[in-house]
């Protein structure tokens, strides 16, 4: 089955700096790569996603890049703010069984004011 | 607009007891799933369903049962609770193919 590795497990940045989280996946058939943000005591929420026919996608201060050849994808957050502090999860799916997502281990991001 | 509703939010069990975690969604989603979240291990899929009457195993199904008699409900049953099942459980739903997965707020289970 699919295996998704996520690094780093924790990330501390100064407010205004950029944050980058990287994920690798094992199943070459995976074609959908979402990112979720989880705030304390809440369920994860989708923040951005990318499909395999696209190399990069941007939404305001967040962007995701995908390298299918190397089987890795990354989340970039620019101009970080304290409200960006949360746990972030990457995930991958090949669409073969509904919306069955395999998640990475998560990255705890702390933005210091 | 309730979305995905999980009950209970907190539960303490003794080893060997059984219980059911409830999940209901009001978005007419075909796909429903249960994940468990443990520190450092991300979210691991327990069971999932692509429609009423259809369920399948995920990555960590042992010790858990599910059923899907309606589109709206997807309960998770712990048959004989073990301390290794202490975790936070999330129910999630979506349209059938890839797209946004909507999560409930989680159920924190402690097995003593």
């Amino acid at each position: 089955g699919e295996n998704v590795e996520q690094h780093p497990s924790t990330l501390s940045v100064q407010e205004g700096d950029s944050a980058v989280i990287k994920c690798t996946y094992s199943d070459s058939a995976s074609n959908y790569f979402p990112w979720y943000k989880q705030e304390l005591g809440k369920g994860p929420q989708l923040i951005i996603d990318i499909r395999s026919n696209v190399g990069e996608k941007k939404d305001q201060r967040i962007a995701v890049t995908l390298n299918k050849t190397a089987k890795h994808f990354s989340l970039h957050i620019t101009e970080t703010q304290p409200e960006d502090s949360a746990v972030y999860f990457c995930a991958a799916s090949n669409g073969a069984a509904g919306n069955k997502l395999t998640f990475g281990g998560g990255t705890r991001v702390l933005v210091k004011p | 607009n309730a979305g995905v509703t999980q009950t209970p939010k907190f539960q303490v069990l003794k080893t060997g007891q059984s219980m059911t975690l409830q999940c209901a969604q009001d978005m007419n989603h075909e796909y429903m799933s249960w994940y468990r979240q443990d520190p450092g291990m991300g979210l691991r899929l327990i069971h999932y369903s692509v429609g009423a009457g259809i369920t399948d195993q995920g990555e960590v199904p042992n010790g858990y049962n599910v059923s899907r008699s309606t589109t709206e409900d997807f309960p998770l049953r712990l048959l004989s609770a073990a301390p290794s099942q202490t975790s936070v459980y999330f129910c999630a739903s979506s349209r059938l193919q890839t797209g946004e997965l909507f999560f409930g707020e989680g159920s924190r289970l402690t097995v003593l």
Side-chain angles (χ1 to χ4, degrees):
Chain A
E2 174 68 278
N3 183 49
V4 178
E5 302 271 349
Q6 182 172 347
H7 299 282
S9 57
T10 59
L11 181 59
S12 182
V13 297
Q14 209 66 39
E15 182 177 357
D17 288 349
S18 294
V20 180
I21 303 169
K22 298 183 178 182
C23 290
T24 60
Y25 62 98
S26 61
D27 185 357
S28 56
S30 288
N31 55 17
Y32 175 63
F33 307 92
W35 287 86
Y36 284 79
K37 176 183 181 182
Q38 185 180 29
E39 296 177 345
L40 198 60
K42 302 284 188 182
Q45 279 195 300
L46 180 71
I47 54 171
I48 195 167
D49 57 12
I50 191 167
R51 298 184 187 273
S52 59
N53 57 345
V54 175
E56 184 173 354
K57 185 176 179 181
K58 191 173 180 182
D59 183 4
Q60 299 183 331
R61 294 186 298 107
I62 59 173
V64 58
T65 58
L66 170 65
N67 184 328
K68 283 221 76 179
T69 303
K71 292 192 212 160
H72 66 71
F73 56 113
S74 301
L75 178 72
H76 304 253
I77 307 173
T78 58
E79 299 171 22
T80 53
Q81 300 168 4
E83 54 264 37
D84 295 328
S85 295
V87 179
Y88 292 80
F89 292 98
C90 62
S93 170
N94 63 17
N99 200 10
K100 184 179 169 186
L101 292 177
T102 300
F103 285 85
T107 298
R108 183 174 298 277
V109 174
L110 175 64
V111 180
K112 295 179 288 186
Chain B
N1 190 9
V4 178
T5 303
Q6 290 183 235
T7 56
K9 287 187 168 32
F10 301 94
Q11 183 72 48
V12 178
L13 290 177
K14 293 181 180 178
T15 296
Q17 288 184 316
S18 62
M19 76 156 299
T20 299
L21 297 176
Q22 302 290 346
C23 176
Q25 53 92 8
D26 61 359
M27 297 173 281
N28 202 31
H29 284 162
E30 303 93 342
Y31 183 84
M32 295 188 75
S33 56
W34 277 101
Y35 285 87
R36 61 177 287 174
Q37 184 175 22
D38 302 295
M41 301 187 75
L43 295 150
R44 292 183 293 168
L45 183 64
I46 304 171
H47 285 285
Y48 65 98
S49 169
V50 297
I54 305 169
T55 64
D56 207 345
Q57 296 181 351
E59 181 186 354
V60 288
N62 292 343
Y64 307 94
N65 271 358
V66 291
S67 59
R68 184 95 179 270
S69 55
T70 67
T71 299
E72 295 78 19
D73 300 298
F74 191 45
L76 179 72
R77 297 181 185 85
L78 280 70
L79 309 172
S80 177
S84 61
Q85 294 178 304
T86 293
S87 188
V88 181
Y89 292 85
F90 288 96
C91 179
S93 73
S94 75
R95 291 290 184 201
L96 188 59
Q97 295 305 320
T98 55
E100 182 170 3
L101 200 56
F102 291 84
F103 283 83
E105 296 218 325
S107 298
R108 183 176 292 275
L109 175 67
T110 301
V111 183
L112 303 175

